[in-house]
Amino acid sequence: MRNLKRPTRKQKKRIQKAKLDWKNWLVVSETEEELVLYNKKSERRRTVK
């Protein structure tokens, strides 16, 4: 797995628009179309568009 990073301010807003709590998520990768996230607690991956 790649190095996971804390979300930036823009990424936090994008995560909140998806109705998720940004405090529980780390960023795996980001492109213009999608943001791949990793949940700290449940260890699940999720893609936000």
Side-chain angles (χ1 to χ4, degrees):
M1 185 179 289
R2 294 181 177 178
N3 291 341
L4 305 174
K5 305 213 180 211
R6 287 184 281 166
T8 62
R9 176 180 257 166
K10 288 182 183 179
Q11 291 169 340
K12 287 177 186 177
K13 288 182 181 179
R14 207 164 157 188
I15 294 169
Q16 286 178 335
K17 283 184 182 179
K19 299 181 182 177
L20 300 171
D21 185 10
W22 62 267
K23 295 175 186 174
N24 296 331
W25 297 90
L26 295 172
V27 178
V28 176
S29 66
E30 179 182 24
T31 63
E32 291 181 11
E33 297 95 26
E34 64 184 17
L35 181 64
V36 180
L37 303 170
Y38 178 81
N39 191 296
K40 295 178 189 178
K41 296 179 182 178
S42 67
E43 299 179 354
R44 289 185 175 178
R45 282 188 175 203
R46 185 169 190 155
T47 303
V48 175
K49 294 189 179 190

